[in-house]
Amino acid sequence: MNNEQIELLWTNLKKQDNKVTLPLTKFHGYQQTTDNGTVLALFNETGHPVEQLNGVGFIAFDHTVFYALGGGQISDTGVLIKDNNKIIVFDLNKQIYQKVYLHLVDTQGTTVRLNDMLEQKIDEERRIKLTKNHTAQHLLSYTIEQILNDGEITDSVQIKIDYALLAMNRVDNWLDIVLTARHKIVTDLINHNIAKIEHQMPLAKAVELKIVHPNFEYDPIVRVVEFPTATIDLCGGTHVNNLQEINFFEIWDCWVDKKKVRIQFSTNKTATEAYFTDWINQKRTALEQSVKKIKGYDPTFTFVIPDFLVPTTLIEKNKLNLEIEKLEKELNETAKAKYKILLQTIDEITFPFKAITVNHNLTTHEIMINDEKITLELVRNKLNKYVQEYQNTLIIFVNTALKYGFISFSKKNETEFNLNNFLQTNKAHFSIVGGGTPFFISFTYQNEINAFLEHLLTTLPK
């Protein structure tokens, strides 16, 4: 089930606005990953309450080990088990019915009834990845706030499986701050024996500690997660028990967007290696495309792209990016110069043409070339000059090397023939793609173009 399907199912449930009263779900997932829960409510895939469910729908339990989206951390996935039959859990929601955890499921042929007792099993490997990233987000947020002595500097968070995203208010030296925080996390926090402490704390006490967000609503008693000397924050999400469990941390990227600094980071070494590999491959591909573009202007141009090493840290990536940006700038300047020279060369060329008299008011000038360097973009200005200079003429220009064409009546002509209508009527038959106006068309073709041109000439009024 993809994200669009999941969102549609949640929307269907919300639309029903069912007047159902359910007890709050007890969350048992902080210290355990399996449990048995009693089914208290069922909804079918259209969002209506039912007494039994077979297929896609929603289940509410008295308690659950499945975490529901909250605090930026995405929901758990996993399975429910009834009579050794697995029921897939795709997503959870605790907002539609306040603090009632609804499990979006597909029973896969198993019938679930009210008051059934089902075994619950979350995807533990996925949960561990989310948990590490969530704890790392706390470390990063708290460390940045301590460096700046500002408890409100960090903003929204998104905790994903392979990475997490954190937004902070922009400050002048934001990159230095982020790199300083990274260094402290890597050297002083992760891989160190710092155990988690959980507090059930009166809200007033949390306010005194300045860990309450002013725009959020809280219960009178709140859960506070602390790693002494590392971070303390109010949170309902899942976390590691000890910072020794996190043996890797790296920032993937930082950028400014709408007065916010966006920070992408991960505790997953394999995912990080894949990210940096993909990044350098994209940069290499972009350089290859730039070289290819210049070769299109000048086939004699040569350029050897350096064999860049894959970066392993944000610092290495930023340094390498400066080198690549310098190369990109040089190639861009070369492309502009080569393009200008080629444009001038094309402007000075006199294309030979074959003149064909169609009637006493119309003559065609047919220009056929076979040159991979001359794109329609390059030759368009020259063709427009032809259109301006000639009278009662149909200009036909085709480049057989690149399989494109341009056909236009001269600006001064007495014909009422509609070129675009002709193209749209015949393009499928001749395997042509393009469009235009009654006076000109541009197109590309797959096989050959002569039959199309012959048909045009025979269709023009004599």
Side-chain angles (χ1 to χ4, degrees):
M1 188 179 297
N2 61 39
N3 289 335
E4 288 184 1
Q5 292 170 318
I6 289 173
E7 286 302 316
L8 179 60
L9 288 165
W10 287 124
T11 300
N12 289 342
L13 181 60
K14 292 175 187 175
K15 285 180 179 178
Q16 298 308 321
D17 193 24
N18 297 305
K19 305 302 180 183
V20 178
T21 301
L22 295 170
L24 304 184
T25 308
K26 296 178 181 178
F27 179 61
H28 290 180
Y30 288 131
Q31 299 299 334
Q32 59 193 87
T33 58
T34 64
D35 203 352
N36 295 301
T38 301
V39 176
L40 299 185
L42 296 165
F43 303 86
N44 62 21
E45 63 181 317
T46 61
H48 293 94
V50 292
E51 293 187 358
Q52 62 181 38
L53 176 67
N54 191 315
V56 174
F58 308 89
I59 302 177
F61 292 96
D62 57 341
H63 57 260
T64 184
V65 292
F66 285 84
Y67 184 81
L69 172 67
Q73 180 177 331
I74 61 175
S75 301
D76 283 329
T77 60
V79 295
L80 306 172
I81 300 175
K82 178 183 178 181
D83 301 329
N84 294 319
N85 297 312
K86 290 185 177 180
I87 298 166
I88 301 174
V89 179
F90 294 102
D91 196 20
L92 281 89
N93 183 295
K94 61 179 180 181
Q95 306 298 328
I96 298 175
Y97 298 100
Q98 194 67 22
K99 298 183 182 179
V100 174
Y101 287 50
L102 293 173
H103 303 62
L104 171 55
V105 304
D106 184 351
T107 71
Q108 302 186 104
T110 298
T111 299
V112 178
R113 296 177 175 82
L114 293 175
N115 297 314
D116 276 353
M117 178 78 74
L118 303 184
E119 185 179 357
Q120 305 167 348
K121 287 187 175 182
I122 68 167
D123 183 333
E124 290 189 50
E125 182 178 350
R126 183 177 181 274
R127 163 73 81 81
I128 289 170
K129 291 178 180 179
L130 288 167
T131 293
K132 288 182 177 181
N133 282 337
H134 197 163
T135 300
Q137 176 265 309
H138 276 229
L139 297 177
L140 183 58
S141 295
Y142 189 81
T143 303
I144 290 173
E145 289 168 355
Q146 292 300 300
I147 293 170
L148 293 172
N149 194 27
D150 185 347
E152 297 299 331
I153 193 72
T154 57
D155 192 7
S156 60
V157 298
Q158 294 180 47
I159 312 300
K160 305 291 186 180
I161 302 167
D162 290 330
Y163 65 91
L165 289 165
L166 172 67
M168 60 177 274
N169 297 328
R170 183 177 180 179
V171 293
D172 291 338
N173 57 338
W174 60 268
L175 183 57
D176 291 338
I177 298 298
V178 171
L179 292 177
T180 300
R182 172 200 173 277
H183 178 75
K184 180 173 177 59
I185 291 169
V186 172
T187 58
D188 299 337
L189 301 181
I190 66 169
N191 274 323
H192 285 66
N193 183 19
I194 304 174
K196 177 183 68 177
I197 301 173
E198 291 188 16
H199 308 272
Q200 295 298 320
M201 184 180 295
L203 181 58
K205 178 65 175 177
V207 172
E208 289 179 16
L209 293 174
K210 298 181 179 179
I211 57 175
V212 174
H213 197 289
N215 297 327
F216 289 179
E217 293 185 6
Y218 298 99
D219 293 332
I221 302 297
V222 293
R223 176 176 180 258
V224 173
V225 176
E226 179 182 9
F227 291 89
T229 73
T231 176
I232 181 170
D233 204 356
L234 192 154
C235 184
T238 62
H239 292 274
V240 299
N241 291 315
N242 193 301
L243 295 188
Q244 286 180 328
E245 297 172 33
I246 304 177
N247 53 23
F248 179 84
F249 175 86
E250 187 53 64
I251 294 174
W252 290 4
D253 200 4
C254 297
W255 68 97
V256 175
D257 174 32
K258 297 179 181 178
K259 298 183 180 180
K260 298 288 184 181
V261 176
R262 311 287 175 176
I263 310 168
Q264 186 177 19
F265 59 94
S266 178
T267 58
N268 187 321
K269 186 175 182 180
T270 301
T272 299
E273 290 171 349
Y275 167 82
F276 283 130
T277 299
D278 184 61
W279 177 82
I280 195 63
N281 286 339
Q282 288 183 32
K283 291 293 183 179
R284 186 178 289 114
T285 298
L287 290 172
E288 290 170 352
Q289 291 298 320
S290 295
V291 173
K292 182 179 179 181
K293 181 179 180 180
I294 298 172
K295 283 182 175 291
Y297 301 150
D298 179 4
T300 65
F301 176 76
T302 58
F303 183 87
V304 178
I305 298 173
D307 188 15
F308 299 113
L309 295 177
V310 177
T312 58
T313 67
L314 176 66
I315 297 170
E316 291 178 6
K317 178 191 171 193
N318 287 348
K319 182 179 179 181
L320 188 56
N321 195 50
L322 291 175
E323 296 179 30
I324 294 173
E325 285 180 346
K326 183 179 179 181
L327 289 178
E328 289 172 336
K329 184 178 180 180
E330 292 174 0
L331 288 172
N332 188 44
E333 292 300 320
T334 301
K336 289 179 180 179
K338 297 288 186 182
Y339 178 84
K340 185 177 181 180
I341 293 170
L342 182 57
L343 200 60
Q344 184 177 349
T345 302
I346 291 172
D347 196 52
E348 294 171 354
I349 293 175
T350 301
F351 292 122
F353 62 83
K354 180 171 67 174
I356 303 172
T357 301
V358 178
N359 55 53
H360 68 282
N361 284 326
L362 185 65
T363 301
T364 66
H365 284 185
E366 185 179 282
I367 303 169
M368 304 288 285
I369 68 169
N370 184 43
D371 193 326
E372 292 185 352
K373 298 191 301 296
I374 302 180
T375 63
L376 181 56
E377 175 192 2
L378 285 165
V379 82
R380 192 181 292 276
N381 285 339
K382 190 174 186 69
L383 294 176
N384 286 336
K385 288 181 181 179
Y386 287 161
V387 170
Q388 299 291 331
E389 292 172 0
Y390 288 93
Q391 296 184 24
N392 297 323
T393 303
L394 180 67
I395 310 296
I396 299 175
F397 182 89
V398 174
N399 188 339
T400 56
L402 299 179
K403 292 186 177 295
Y404 73 81
F406 175 88
I407 300 175
S408 176
F409 287 111
S410 57
K411 186 174 182 180
K412 296 179 180 180
N413 72 87
E414 299 177 11
T415 185
E416 294 183 357
F417 188 81
N418 190 313
L419 284 173
N420 192 47
N421 284 351
F422 175 82
L423 175 64
Q424 301 308 322
T425 302
N426 294 281
K427 65 181 183 181
H429 178 73
F430 292 100
S431 299
I432 291 175
V433 177
T437 72
F439 306 106
F440 81 90
I441 54 173
S442 58
F443 55 87
T444 58
Y445 60 94
Q446 295 181 7
N447 302 316
E448 63 88 32
I449 198 62
N450 289 330
F452 174 75
L453 297 179
E454 289 172 6
H455 184 52
L456 172 61
L457 293 176
T458 57
T459 305
L460 288 166
K462 298 297 185 282

